[in-house]
Amino acid sequence: MNRCLDCGTERDTDQCPGCGLTSLAAEVMLRRRLVRRTALFLVGAVVFVPASQAFPPLEVDGILIFVGVLFFLVLALGLWMVDRARRGEEIEIVKRVYFGLLPVPWILSALLFINGKFDPYPPKPVTASVVSKFSMPGFLRTQRLVVTSWRDGRQIERVLVSRDDYGRFKPGDSVVVEVESGVVGIPWVYAVYRP
């Protein structure tokens, strides 16, 4: 017994009793839906990059790596689903997992924005020393100061800064990093300045 590629109803014949589509028409409808939803996922992944820098979390590198892995995982899952559908294999579980992962970049973007925008707590100033700095080239250039950590169990923190702050500090400088706790508990950098 097979399931319809479009609606997921079990079917014994070529025509689905639930939606009335043949298996070929259901495959076309699945591909259309896949293209539209994948486009929304891609837009969400692109929107995530500037959203992650509006209120930059301290763990921005780990978050960007997670979203990058998720991005390629979702695209690979979509290609695998299309291949299985073309061969007439069962895809209902894969389809549900795939469609469930599509809103994740949008949810993470909103979470990081809300975390910073609606943070009611005042920033906590901490003093650190600049260890090094680096600038990442590319479409959205980012600059980071590598500073000594004020958190337990860490040696360094990578702090996202503006281009002006990047040029103003050099290794060995003492800096004050204002950190906010975030409304959902994700600490983020409010400002970096000289003591």
Side-chain angles (χ1 to χ4, degrees):
M1 180 152 315
N2 262 346
R3 289 185 179 271
C4 175
L5 295 175
D6 185 50
C7 68
T9 304
E10 291 184 1
R11 60 183 173 87
D12 294 327
T13 62
D14 186 49
Q15 189 167 8
C16 174
C19 62
L21 297 174
T22 63
S23 55
L24 188 59
E27 185 178 342
V28 169
M29 294 303 291
L30 172 72
R31 287 184 188 200
R32 276 191 192 159
R33 190 170 350 150
L34 223 98
V35 167
R36 283 193 308 265
R37 290 188 182 179
T38 303
L40 276 172
F41 171 78
L42 293 174
V43 170
V46 169
V47 165
F48 175 79
V49 175
S52 70
Q53 297 184 18
F55 303 99
L58 279 176
E59 303 295 335
V60 71
D61 292 335
I63 293 171
L64 289 173
I65 289 169
F66 171 75
V67 170
V69 168
L70 177 73
F71 177 81
F72 289 109
L73 174 77
V74 168
L75 291 182
L77 196 61
L79 292 173
W80 185 49
M81 182 171 47
V82 168
D83 185 53
R84 287 180 62 91
R86 186 179 302 126
R87 291 184 303 197
E89 296 176 7
E90 184 65 37
I91 64 160
E92 193 61 30
I93 294 172
V94 178
K95 184 169 72 169
R96 288 175 190 260
V97 170
Y98 178 79
F99 289 152
L101 289 174
L102 293 182
V104 171
W106 289 101
I107 292 168
L108 288 176
S109 298
L111 184 71
L112 288 179
F113 184 78
I114 290 167
N115 182 63
K117 184 68 175 175
F118 300 108
D119 191 353
Y121 309 109
K124 178 181 125 187
V126 290
T127 304
S129 178
V130 178
V131 177
S132 66
K133 59 185 192 172
F134 66 93
S135 178
M136 292 175 50
F139 180 68
L140 290 173
R141 297 176 184 204
T142 60
Q143 294 80 27
R144 295 200 176 104
L145 294 178
V146 180
V147 299
T148 54
S149 181
W150 55 90
R151 298 191 287 176
D152 293 333
R154 296 180 164 267
Q155 293 181 349
I156 61 168
E157 300 286 347
R158 291 176 181 87
V159 178
L160 197 64
V161 294
S162 68
R163 197 173 302 161
D164 293 337
D165 288 340
Y166 180 79
R168 191 173 353 149
F169 299 112
K170 61 184 185 312
D173 286 351
S174 183
V175 295
V176 174
V177 180
E178 286 192 344
V179 181
E180 296 218 26
S181 58
V183 74
V184 294
I186 302 171
W188 61 281
V189 178
Y190 180 75
V192 179
Y193 55 87
R194 291 192 186 279

